[in-house]
C-alpha cells in the first residue's frame, strides 16, 4: 500500500540553524499538509498546500517557516532560524481529492532544537 | 479560533464494550476529521465527514454540523483499539483545529 514517507526521522540542531524537513507524499495526491505536535501537547495545524501554493496557514506559520514542492515529489518544510520552542514532532499528510477524503499521514520527524 | 472539546479525556473499557467519544466545537466548519494516534506517536486518519454518518468496520462517526457536534463510536471494542482518538474540525485545504484527544484503554 502506498505511504507517505518523511526524512529524517530524527534531527537535532542548534538554535538559530536552518532545518529542512522532507516529505514524499503519495504520488497521485494533490493536497499537502504540515502539522506539528510538541511533546505532551495536541497536534497543531501549520499549513496546507495545493496547486503549488499555500491554501491556508495558521498563526504558528510565521515568516520563519516556508514550504515548497521543488520537484513534483518532495514536499518540504523549512524553518529558517530555529528556536527552542520549535522542538516538536512534525507530521506531513496528503490526500488526492477535495471533499470527504481522509488524509494519509507520514511517520513524522522529531526535531530537537538545543 | 475554533475551541474544540472532547469527552471523555480518558476512558477505560472492557473488551467487547461499545464506546462513544464526543467532540464539540465552537466555529462553523465544512468538515471534521477523526484521527487515531498510536502509543508510538503515529497518526492514522479514520474519517473525514461533513454530514450524517460514516462507517468503517467497527468504527462509526456521526456529525451534526448545525449543532457543532460529532461522535465516534467503536463497537465490540478490542485491546488493539487502545490509542488516543482526536477530532479536528476544519475542511479540506483549510485550517484544522485539533482537540486534545481521548485516551482509550481497552482491557482484555
Amino acid at each position: 500500500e502506498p505511504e507517505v514517507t518523511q526524512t529524517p526521522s530524527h534531527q537535532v540542531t542548534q538554535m538559530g540553524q536552518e532545518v529542512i524537513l522532507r516529505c514524499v507524499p503519495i504520488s497521485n495526491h494533490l493536497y499537502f499538509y504540515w502539522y506539528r505536535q510538541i511533546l505532551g501537547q495536541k497536534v497543531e495545524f501549520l499549513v496546507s498546500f495545493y496547486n503549488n501554493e499555500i491554501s491556508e496557514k495558521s498563526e504558528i506559520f510565521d515568516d520563519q517557516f516556508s514550504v515548497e514542492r521543488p520537484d513534483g515529489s518532495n514536499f518540504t518544510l523549512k524553518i529558517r532560524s530555529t528556536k527552542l520552542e520549535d522542538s516538536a514532532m512534525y507530521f506531513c499528510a496528503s490526500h488526492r481529492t477535495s471533499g470527504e477524503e481522509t488524509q494519509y499521514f507520514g511517520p513524522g520527524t522529531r526535531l530537537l532544537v538545543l | 479560533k475554533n475551541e474544540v472539546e472532547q469527552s471523555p479525556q480518558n476512558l477505560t473499557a472492557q473488551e467487547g464494550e461499545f464506546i462513544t467519544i464526543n467532540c464539540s466545537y465552537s466555529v462553523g466548519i465544512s468538515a471534521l476529521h477523526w484521527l487515531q494516534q498510536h502509543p508510538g506517536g503515529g497518526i492514522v486518519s479514520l474519517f473525514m465527514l461533513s454530514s450524517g454518518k460514516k462507517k468503517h468496520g467497527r468504527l462509526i462517526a456521526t456529525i451534526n454540523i448545525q449543532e457543532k457536534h460529532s461522535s465516534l463510536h467503536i463497537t465490540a471494542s478490542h485491546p488493539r483499539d487502545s490509542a488516543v482518538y482526536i477530532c479536528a474540525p476544519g475542511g479540506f485545504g483549510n485550517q484544522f483545529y485539533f482537540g486534545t484527544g481521548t485516551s482509550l484503554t481497552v482491557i482484555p
Side-chain angles (χ1 to χ4, degrees):
Chain A
E1 185 174 329
E3 57 183 21
V4 177
T5 59
Q6 289 185 243
T7 55
S9 57
H10 294 80
Q11 179 148 5
V12 181
T13 191
Q14 294 289 326
M15 190 170 60
Q17 294 295 305
E18 175 184 286
V19 294
I20 297 176
L21 310 183
R22 289 183 168 80
C23 169
V24 180
I26 294 171
S27 62
N28 62 349
H29 284 189
L30 302 174
Y31 297 82
F32 313 108
Y33 304 80
W34 281 103
Y35 301 96
R36 79 172 186 191
Q37 187 175 32
I38 296 169
L39 189 64
Q41 298 188 21
K42 62 184 180 181
V43 178
E44 298 173 293
F45 169 89
L46 292 178
V47 66
S48 60
F49 191 87
Y50 169 71
N51 200 25
N52 272 325
E53 60 183 24
I54 290 173
S55 306
E56 187 77 32
K57 59 183 180 179
S58 71
E59 55 272 17
I60 301 167
F61 194 90
D62 61 21
D63 291 344
Q64 293 299 312
F65 290 87
S66 62
V67 289
E68 201 173 39
R69 190 155 157 80
D71 57 12
S73 62
N74 289 283
F75 179 50
T76 62
L77 175 70
K78 184 192 292 187
I79 310 174
R80 286 191 185 78
S81 177
T82 49
K83 306 184 191 71
L84 296 176
E85 54 265 37
D86 294 327
S87 296
M89 180 74 96
Y90 288 81
F91 293 99
C92 167
S94 69
H95 63 95
R96 191 171 60 87
T97 64
S98 62
E100 293 184 10
E101 184 184 1
T102 58
Q103 296 181 19
Y104 292 78
F105 280 76
T109 292
R110 183 164 295 286
L111 176 66
L112 178 60
V113 182
L114 301 176
Chain B
K1 188 174 178 178
N2 209 341
E3 299 295 329
V4 183
E5 288 195 11
Q6 286 187 236
S7 62
Q9 288 188 319
N10 296 283
L11 180 57
T12 300
Q14 290 289 329
E15 184 173 355
E17 280 187 21
F18 180 84
I19 287 161
T20 295
I21 299 169
N22 294 301
C23 174
S24 297
Y25 50 92
S26 59
V27 177
I29 53 148
S30 58
L32 181 142
H33 220 152
W34 278 103
L35 306 163
Q36 180 192 55
Q37 187 165 32
H38 295 287
I43 296 176
V44 174
S45 174
L46 300 174
F47 295 103
M48 175 84 133
L49 66 167
S50 59
S51 64
K53 181 165 92 171
K54 282 193 171 180
K55 185 175 190 289
H56 186 256
R58 295 180 295 105
L59 301 177
I60 302 165
T62 62
I63 189 168
N64 186 321
I65 291 284
Q66 288 74 30
E67 293 189 3
K68 300 186 180 63
H69 182 269
S70 178
S71 295
L72 177 70
H73 307 283
I74 305 175
T75 62
S77 58
H78 190 276
R80 64 175 174 266
D81 297 327
S82 298
V84 175
Y85 292 84
I86 303 166
C87 78
F92 78 90
N94 297 326
Q95 178 161 191
F96 286 91
Y97 297 91
F98 289 76
T100 52
T102 293
S103 180
L104 171 65
T105 302
V106 181
I107 300 169

